[in-house]
Amino acid sequence: KRLHNASSSTSTQHLIDLVKAAKKADGSLIFQYDSAGAVPAASDTDKRLIFVSNLGELKFNNNGNWDNLVGETDIEAEPSIFQGTNYGYSTGGSAPVSNVIDKFPFSSDANATDVGDLTVARYDLTGQSSETHGYSSGGLAPPTLSNVIDKFPFAADANATDVGNLTVARAGGVGQSSADNGYTSSGGTPESNVIDKFPFSTDANATDVGDLTFARRWGAGQSSSTNGYTSGGARPFPDPLLNIIDKFPFAADANATDVGDLSVGRSSGIAGQSSTTHGYSSGGYGPTGPL
């Protein structure tokens, strides 16, 4: 309450002390944005403190203007925990084609439990995560491709709801997540290079915000706090399996760039993982068979 009631007359040091206390008590008091372009006008919001990820700046609302906090360098920025903190979720799959939402704990080694259903049973779908909800997008709902974006809560065990559509119905795509948006890239059939983006703050359709360097499906997706990655995948037959690591920014809508290669070209079952500093691609189907 004291932080929310801070004003331009509150000393900078007092603000810093309040920020440190608030970060320990409830991080939701500081609102995070990927870039300055995503920040609302200070005169049009009641938010008092924000953090701009790509600038590394903590700002406070000073009489309708966003001003930097002096001395903010001694405050560590909290990264977006896209990996999750309490539970992992697996949705859909085959065979038979499934609509199940499974949940398993990170705090102990245990079996998953069935906690809800997707709106459409399907497989080869993609997953995204905000801080409060999980998303499942696209996939194959035999005999048709799906463009559905499903959303389900982390706070309670419940069924998913259909909250929007991808721009292209597809299966075998990969998912990425920023602090503010979910992304679905690649997929087929036919193989796609589209990077779709949909907001976490509201239920809405996705928009096409860029292209991968190559159309593909069955790759792997990874996320840092500032960029999405699409690695590996398969191009239309008989082209070879891809080893390309594509990277696209969260701060702006833009095409991906080729920033490196996997150790071997692979697709079909390759899985993507992300830490706060690295992306990983594991398994899959390589030139000589399963890896």
Side-chain angles (χ1 to χ4, degrees):
K1 287 174 66 177
R2 291 175 65 183
L3 180 58
H4 184 75
N5 291 329
S7 68
S8 58
S9 62
T10 305
S11 72
T12 298
Q13 186 57 53
H14 192 191
L15 280 171
I16 292 173
D17 292 339
L18 289 174
V19 167
K20 289 179 177 178
K23 282 165 66 65
K24 292 181 178 179
D26 184 355
S28 65
L29 291 175
I30 300 176
F31 296 87
Q32 182 169 309
Y33 296 90
D34 284 348
S35 64
V39 175
S43 57
D44 295 335
T45 181
D46 62 355
K47 293 180 174 64
R48 297 304 180 97
L49 287 164
I50 63 170
F51 182 74
V52 185
S53 299
N54 71 328
L55 300 178
E57 294 178 351
L58 190 64
K59 298 175 179 289
F60 71 103
N61 196 330
N62 184 10
N63 286 334
N65 295 293
W66 291 119
D67 289 347
N68 286 350
L69 271 178
V70 178
E72 75 271 19
T73 53
D74 64 345
I75 303 174
E76 294 183 1
E78 294 287 351
S80 175
I81 307 300
F82 50 81
Q83 303 94 334
T85 55
N86 297 315
Y87 294 94
Y89 293 80
S90 296
T91 60
S94 67
V97 179
S98 173
N99 66 354
V100 171
I101 303 171
D102 266 358
K103 167 183 169 183
F104 55 91
F106 290 153
S107 59
S108 62
D109 297 336
N111 292 334
T113 55
D114 180 344
V115 295
D117 295 332
L118 300 176
T119 63
V120 180
R122 57 203 195 268
Y123 64 95
D124 273 0
L125 63 168
T126 69
Q128 297 84 8
S129 298
S130 73
E131 291 186 356
T132 58
H133 291 82
Y135 295 79
S136 296
S137 55
L140 181 61
T144 61
L145 296 172
S146 174
N147 64 356
V148 170
I149 302 171
D150 271 356
K151 169 183 171 182
F152 58 90
F154 292 150
D157 298 339
N159 293 333
T161 54
D162 180 344
V163 295
N165 295 323
L166 300 177
T167 63
V168 179
R170 58 184 121 163
V174 300
Q176 297 91 0
S177 302
S178 73
D180 299 318
N181 299 284
Y183 295 80
T184 297
S185 59
S186 72
T189 307
E191 285 75 6
S192 173
N193 66 352
V194 170
I195 303 170
D196 268 358
K197 167 183 165 183
F198 57 88
F200 292 148
S201 59
T202 186
D203 297 339
N205 292 332
T207 55
D208 180 344
V209 295
D211 294 331
L212 300 176
T213 57
F214 286 99
R216 69 189 85 169
R217 58 175 165 165
W218 296 333
Q222 296 85 9
S223 301
S224 74
S225 60
T226 56
N227 295 281
Y229 296 81
T230 299
S231 55
R235 297 185 66 189
F237 184 83
D239 284 351
L241 301 176
L242 291 173
N243 64 355
I244 290 172
I245 303 171
D246 270 359
K247 169 183 171 182
F248 58 88
F250 292 149
D253 297 340
N255 294 332
T257 55
D258 179 346
V259 295
D261 295 332
L262 300 177
S263 58
V264 62
R266 57 180 114 165
S267 72
S268 190
I270 182 175
Q273 301 87 10
S274 304
S275 77
T276 56
T277 57
H278 292 81
Y280 297 81
S281 293
S282 55
Y285 197 90
T288 59
L291 297 172

